[in-house]
Amino acid sequence: MKVMLTARARFSAAHRLLNPAWDDARNVAVFGSCYNLHGHGHDYTLEVTVAGDVDPGTGMILNVKELKRVVDEKVIARVDHKNLNFDVPFLEGQNPTAETLALAFWKILEPEIPAGRLHEIRVLETENNVATVRRD
Ligand code: NI
């Protein structure tokens, strides 16, 4: 049996999806309206799940307050109300899809969370569009 704990956070950000190596026609064909010149916004939900043994002294895997503090400081503060194409150094040169964000957030959070506990990161771009990164 595995016990998991999820912290959820919200952020709002703008982005434009494109591959700068492609011409307009190919970008439109692949990205559609997500390639619109001046971008568009999303209200994202980030879910960070840890897994592990429950400490008998605290009844917790991790203190959820501490988990939320790390997520807020290391991720949310760096992406909320930003343009993901221009304003976020750790996304520089990357196409800011939900998958790209989930991978980037994993790389940031993994070293901040006690060893091996980070289990899954989900980035919900909309309620119908979710990218997931999970420990193998
Ligand atoms: Ni979009």
Side-chain angles (χ1 to χ4, degrees):
M1 188 181 354
K2 184 175 277 185
V3 183
M4 292 177 276
L5 173 70
T6 300
R8 183 178 293 141
R10 304 286 304 273
F11 65 97
S12 300
H15 75 170
R16 181 191 189 201
L17 299 185
L18 77 161
N19 183 331
W22 296 347
D23 63 15
D24 282 340
R26 189 169 176 193
N27 273 297
V28 168
V30 172
F31 299 116
S33 59
C34 292
Y35 179 67
N36 285 353
L37 182 59
H38 296 296
H40 59 277
H42 292 284
D43 293 317
Y44 291 90
T45 300
L46 168 61
E47 293 178 350
V48 177
T49 299
V50 295
D53 296 331
V54 176
D55 183 314
T58 62
M60 300 173 178
I61 300 168
L62 276 183
N63 190 322
V64 75
K65 275 170 58 180
E66 175 63 11
L67 181 58
K68 285 183 171 172
R69 185 192 63 76
V70 167
V71 170
D72 284 345
E73 277 185 24
K74 302 296 179 184
V75 175
I76 301 298
R78 298 162 78 181
V79 293
D80 189 36
H81 286 70
K82 301 288 175 66
N83 185 314
L84 302 177
N85 295 81
F86 298 104
D87 300 334
V88 181
F90 67 79
L91 295 173
E92 198 174 325
Q94 301 187 67
N95 195 22
T97 61
E99 297 93 315
T100 298
L101 296 180
L103 272 169
F105 296 166
W106 180 282
K107 287 176 189 160
I108 290 168
L109 290 172
E110 213 281 332
E112 301 289 337
I113 291 171
R117 298 274 176 89
L118 182 58
H119 174 68
E120 183 177 276
I121 286 182
R122 284 168 28 104
V123 174
L124 292 80
E125 196 174 67
T126 72
E127 62 185 15
N128 299 319
N129 176 9
V130 185
T132 303
V133 175
R134 186 178 297 150
R135 186 178 296 279
D136 287 330

